[in-house]
């Protein structure tokens, strides 16, 4: 089962998004602050995280940077009602895998999440193939 973390200070958004994702079969954790989100990221594995850009204790872009250092393989999607070219470019350069505007259409969000989780699976297969190739080369060089 895929695990998703939602970090947003709007409790109504947290609750409704959690319900939508759980209905789709995802295991979902929520956090209302960046600090709480970071604690969860440090102590648990998540396949994907949704980060609001505006949080009470830290900018979402800073949360993104910290989360990317802790869990570079976790897919990270920025969600914002405060779109700007500067924020979107910074987010993508800091490790965001996608950038979504509020209000979020649930169908679009689910499609983006599926797309990013499928990407994550392909990345794992490619990494596994690279390890297999390396081991095969090493074994052949020993003979």
């Amino acid at each position: 089962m895929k695990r998703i973390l939602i970090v947003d200070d709007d409790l109504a958004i947290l609750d409704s998004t959690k319900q939508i994702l759980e209905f789709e079969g995802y295991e979902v954790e929520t956090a209302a602050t960046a600090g709480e989100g970071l604690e969860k990221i440090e102590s648990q594995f998540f396949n994907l995280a949704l980060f609001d850009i505006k949080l009470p204790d830290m900018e979402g872009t800073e949360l993104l940077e910290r989360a990317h250092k802790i869990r570079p393989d976790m897919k990270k999607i920025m969600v914002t009602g405060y779109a700007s070219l500067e924020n979107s470019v910074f987010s993508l350069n800091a490790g965001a895998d996608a950038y979504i505007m509020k209000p979020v259409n649930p169908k679009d969000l689910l499609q983006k999440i599926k797309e990013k989780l499928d990407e994550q699976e392909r990345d794992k297969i490619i990494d596994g193939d690279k390890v297999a190739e390396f081991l095969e080369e090493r074994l052949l060089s020993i003979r």
Side-chain angles (χ1 to χ4, degrees):
M1 181 179 299
K2 302 292 184 183
R3 300 193 73 232
I4 297 176
L5 173 66
I6 308 165
V7 182
D8 198 310
D9 61 326
D10 184 325
L11 299 183
I13 288 175
L14 270 185
D15 188 51
S16 60
T17 306
K18 180 178 184 190
Q19 287 180 28
I20 290 165
L21 295 177
E22 286 178 339
F23 183 78
E24 291 296 317
Y26 297 110
E27 187 177 322
V28 182
E29 289 277 334
T30 62
T33 65
E36 185 184 349
L38 281 172
E39 285 176 19
K40 290 185 179 199
I41 290 166
E42 288 171 346
S43 65
Q44 301 173 52
F45 171 79
F46 295 97
N47 297 90
L48 183 141
L50 300 170
F51 297 145
D52 187 15
I53 287 254
K54 296 286 183 198
L55 294 164
D57 57 336
M58 178 187 307
E59 285 295 312
T61 50
E62 184 180 342
L63 170 60
L64 169 67
E65 284 184 301
R66 289 184 181 191
H68 189 67
K69 286 178 184 163
I70 298 166
R71 304 259 184 224
D73 294 341
M74 178 178 70
K75 294 295 180 181
K76 295 162 281 300
I77 299 175
M78 300 305 292
V79 183
T80 184
Y82 304 93
S84 73
L85 182 59
E86 182 184 335
N87 267 346
S88 61
V89 170
F90 182 85
S91 296
L92 295 171
N93 286 336
D97 296 288
Y99 191 85
I100 296 178
M101 291 290 303
K102 286 181 182 177
V104 176
N105 175 320
K107 184 178 167 189
D108 294 342
L109 177 64
L110 290 170
Q111 179 59 39
K112 185 59 71 178
I113 287 172
K114 182 181 181 332
E115 178 185 310
K116 294 304 162 187
L117 291 174
D118 288 348
E119 249 177 50
Q120 190 177 56
E121 283 302 310
R122 282 193 304 274
D123 292 348
K124 281 184 192 173
I125 291 167
I126 290 168
D127 287 347
D129 289 347
K130 287 179 184 173
V131 169
E133 281 177 31
F134 172 77
L135 291 174
E136 194 174 305
E137 287 173 16
R138 297 295 296 168
L139 288 171
L140 289 174
S141 69
I142 293 171
R143 294 182 185 163

